[in-house]
Amino acid sequence: MTSTAGSAGPTDATTPPPSESGRGPGEGAAGTGRLRRRFSPAERWVHRTTGILMLVCVATAGCLYVPQLAELVGRRYFVVTLHEWSGLLLPVPVLVGLASRHFRADLGRLNRFFPHDKEWLRAVRRRDARPESRPAGKFNAGQKIYAAWIAGAVLVMLGTGLLMWFTGFAPLVWRTSATFLHDWLALAIGVVLLGHIGMAYGDPEARRGMRTGSVERAWAKREHSEWGEEDS
């Protein structure tokens, strides 16, 4: 029972301290305590910029190699120039992102495999989709493999593309081999990207994490059970 100044008498309602209200300091009615930070603004910028450049590369490659698209778009010289420069700029967002400690920390996580990553892969091989059968840290084993593969593919595409661009710096056999590898790897990248986009659309919470930087704690606990609070 407490009395409120200016009232006719004591009131029956008591106001619990903030620690008992279910919300921490600074959290409003929306319950931001349900959210956990996943990506910093710098990381989201790197992902979006790299994604745009990658999509431009794939789209312009399609316009160069698919006759129906080439006839529809036209302006081949412009498409070639756009393809070359978007490919040349592709590593730049990652290099700029290295200035962010959050980005560097996540690169370290992506480059390390743990016992639970092997367990995740075994569950995938068994086609066991239960979250408890697929333990993961901040990134699961599939995301780590994808990141390593796409990083290597981009470097190979950049090297072979430069050999094709500056024709006077390499013998004919090198340029022919580079063209063959560039074309087939581009096709593989297109297929892998479609799979990546499809999986992203199948997980709205993962998309929100990349869009806003935060995810539901319940989702993080279910899908990334080995992601410790100290790793945020």
Side-chain angles (χ1 to χ4, degrees):
M1 301 283 287
T2 59
S3 297
T4 303
S7 64
T11 65
D12 291 330
T14 60
T15 303
S19 60
E20 299 174 3
S21 65
R23 302 190 188 99
E27 296 182 7
T32 54
R34 295 182 295 105
L35 300 179
R36 181 177 180 185
R37 181 179 178 180
R38 184 162 174 82
F39 296 115
S40 67
E43 291 175 291
R44 303 200 304 276
W45 177 85
V46 170
H47 184 269
R48 290 170 185 171
T49 309
T50 302
I52 291 171
L53 289 171
M54 184 70 76
L55 288 175
V56 171
C57 283
V58 172
T60 51
C63 293
L64 292 173
Y65 288 100
V66 178
Q68 293 81 357
L69 290 176
E71 293 177 5
L72 180 65
V73 175
R75 305 186 65 180
R76 182 177 177 84
Y77 179 77
F78 173 76
V79 174
V80 169
T81 303
L82 189 59
H83 180 78
E84 290 172 341
W85 280 102
S86 59
L88 192 63
L89 292 173
L90 199 52
V92 173
V94 173
L95 295 176
V96 174
L98 292 175
S100 165
R101 63 181 180 87
H102 295 289
F103 182 68
R104 294 196 304 272
D106 275 353
L107 284 182
R109 295 185 182 99
L110 285 168
N111 286 326
R112 297 178 65 187
F113 259 72
F114 297 94
H116 60 254
D117 292 313
K118 297 179 181 178
E119 186 177 346
W120 191 95
L121 290 173
R122 285 194 294 268
V124 171
R125 191 173 60 225
R126 297 193 308 266
R127 297 185 179 181
D128 186 349
R130 295 175 300 164
E132 60 270 21
S133 300
R134 298 187 179 189
K138 186 173 184 180
F139 303 103
N140 63 44
Q143 291 168 327
K144 293 178 180 182
I145 292 173
Y146 169 79
W149 187 88
I150 201 71
V154 166
L155 291 177
V156 173
M157 292 294 285
L158 181 62
T160 53
L162 289 173
L163 285 175
M164 295 162 61
W165 193 355
F166 299 103
T167 56
F169 290 91
L172 178 61
V173 64
W174 287 21
R175 299 198 305 271
T176 303
S177 301
T179 302
F180 177 84
L181 182 57
H182 194 90
D183 292 351
W184 282 103
L185 186 54
L187 179 61
I189 289 175
V191 172
V192 171
L193 281 178
L194 284 175
H196 178 68
I197 294 171
M199 294 185 70
Y201 270 96
D203 194 339
E205 194 63 27
R207 293 203 314 274
R208 183 169 79 161
M210 188 54 71
R211 187 177 68 252
T212 68
S214 299
V215 294
E216 291 278 351
R217 287 185 179 273
W219 176 88
K221 185 176 180 179
R222 183 182 68 252
E223 301 292 337
H224 298 270
S225 57
E226 302 294 324
W227 179 19
E229 289 290 338
E230 67 278 3
D231 293 333
S232 297

